[in-house]
Amino acid sequence: MAAMRLTPDDARGAPSAVDLVSDDDRSVAADSWSIKSEYGSTLDDDQRNADAAEALSAGNLRAASDYSSDKDETEPDAEAVTSMLGLQSYWDSQYADELTNFHEHGHVGEVWFGPEVMETVASWTKSLCSDVSQGRFPNQADNVKSLNGDQGSKFLSSWSVLDIGTGNGLLLQELAKEGGFSNLTGTDYSEGAIDLARSLAERDGFSTIKFLVDDVLETKLEGKFQLVVDKGTLDAIGLHPDGPLKRIMYWESVSKLVAPGGLLVITSCNSTKDELVQEVENFNQRRVNSIAESESSNGTQRESPTFQYLNHVRTYPTFTFGGSVGSRVATVAFLRN
């Protein structure tokens, strides 16, 4: 899931992984962030889901005392807990534990946003890609209509797919199960995540999926991909203490990874569909301004937007708050021009 790395300046200012993330703090952060976990919880599922959804939709994590009333330790500051999820030290510790649990018990680790969301993302993305591969672009007011499984799959065999911040790699496995996609790559800046993803893929019969250690903010990948998916990585980047700056870096980097005519599909629990669209529009405007400044003043041509909103999942449960209707999870697709 994580896909960024602290710069040397960041690392000097940050505590070590041992000082920063205790077992209790890491458990609290995971409970607040993840809607569903294979490890279970001291809370029942309904209460855990409700607490996590409330925390995620508010953009903050719960304090430790909300989950551990018997603890005498000082409660961590809410903003400090939130920022832990933006640091590589957190994710290295998280995936070290999950890799140990896999080797000892066969657990796959956290299923971020829950298995139902992951399955929805995979099936919806396949339908969208099938239509786009045939030159059928969905109207922004309508959902993509799914093709027959075999009919849709035959158009996708040549598509290259990249999952940034792949974590345990289960989203790529789900895309492989959908059929059609065969050129699948997952990257993460945590070596532990990549080790876990490779181990799970080997065990589950998906050994052809490629997994690489790579930081999306300083990517070493040279190729371009027809489909780039992100489930939670932009969220984690935004939780870094320098989140606003790193989100700008994210868009600059991702724009180089998506092939012209390709798709970027982002699933977020911290941003609504409209917020993601606005963030893309802001990036497009920065690119236009940058190109205009670098060119001579005579006869510059209007630059087309780098990314264009294409469609979003409309099947997630919604709620109304303050007169606005929204969803705790948003999956939005953008076309790379």
Side-chain angles (χ1 to χ4, degrees), residues 1 33 113 232-239 247 267-271:
M1 174 168 173
W33 180 265
F113 309 153
T233 296
L234 181 59
D235 289 340
I237 288 173
L239 293 172
R247 287 177 82 109
T267 298
S268 170
C269 66
N270 280 352
S271 299

Side-chain angles (χ1 to χ4, degrees), residues 68-133:
S68 307
S69 58
D70 58 333
K71 299 292 184 183
D72 294 327
E73 299 171 353
T74 302
E75 294 181 17
D77 178 79
E79 291 185 1
V81 175
T82 300
S83 67
M84 282 177 11
L85 293 171
L87 299 177
Q88 183 175 355
S89 55
Y90 171 85
W91 295 108
D92 285 343
S93 297
Q94 176 79 7
Y95 285 114
D97 286 351
E98 293 195 356
L99 191 59
T100 298
N101 273 291
F102 169 74
H103 289 309
E104 293 181 355
H105 308 293
H107 292 163
V108 302
E110 297 284 346
V111 181
W112 302 107
F113 309 153
E116 291 183 2
V117 168
M118 184 172 64
E119 292 165 6
T120 296
V121 170
S123 60
W124 181 86
T125 299
K126 177 189 173 180
S127 296
L128 179 64
C129 292
S130 296
D131 272 32
V132 170
S133 68

